[in-house]
Amino acid sequence: NLLEEIILRSDKDERVLITTLTKRMAEELTEYLLNHDIRTAYIHSDVASLDRIKIINDLRTGVYDVLVGVN
């Protein structure tokens, strides 16, 4: 169901934010989506602050369709 919703939003040139419970879950979900040709990145506490800013800016400009983060 999540993959279908991502594709629907992507077709409308919209972005998707996904929250997970753990860092590992964020990394694994990102890997899964990348394997399905979804442009995805993740953010959690191990990502450097400057890299987080770049990832968010890339999401805004359309480099990524999905951003996965830890709640």
Side-chain angles (χ1 to χ4, degrees), residues 14-29:
E14 297 176 348
R15 309 292 178 262
V16 178
L17 299 174
I18 301 172
T19 57
T20 62
L21 297 176
T22 65
K23 294 176 193 178
R24 184 175 178 195
M25 191 182 299
E27 292 171 351
E28 289 178 359
L29 180 57

Side-chain angles (χ1 to χ4, degrees), residues 1 3-4 13-15 19 22 24 31 33 35-38 42 44-45 48-50 54 61-62 65 68 70-71:
N1 190 14
L3 198 53
E4 292 172 16
D13 200 32
E14 297 176 348
R15 309 292 178 262
T19 57
T22 65
R24 184 175 178 195
E31 185 177 334
L33 293 172
N35 288 337
H36 285 84
D37 298 323
I38 304 293
Y42 68 87
H44 56 60
S45 61
S49 295
L50 294 176
K54 182 182 180 331
T61 60
D65 292 323
V68 181
V70 179
N71 187 8

Side-chain angles (χ1 to χ4, degrees), residues 44-59:
H44 56 60
S45 61
D46 291 344
V47 177
S49 295
L50 294 176
D51 292 337
R52 290 182 208 170
I53 294 168
K54 182 182 180 331
I55 291 169
I56 291 171
N57 285 334
D58 288 347
L59 178 72

Side-chain angles (χ1 to χ4, degrees), residues 5-16 65:
E5 287 296 324
I6 291 170
I7 292 169
L8 286 173
R9 299 295 164 221
S10 180
D11 290 344
K12 294 180 180 181
D13 200 32
E14 297 176 348
R15 309 292 178 262
V16 178
D65 292 323

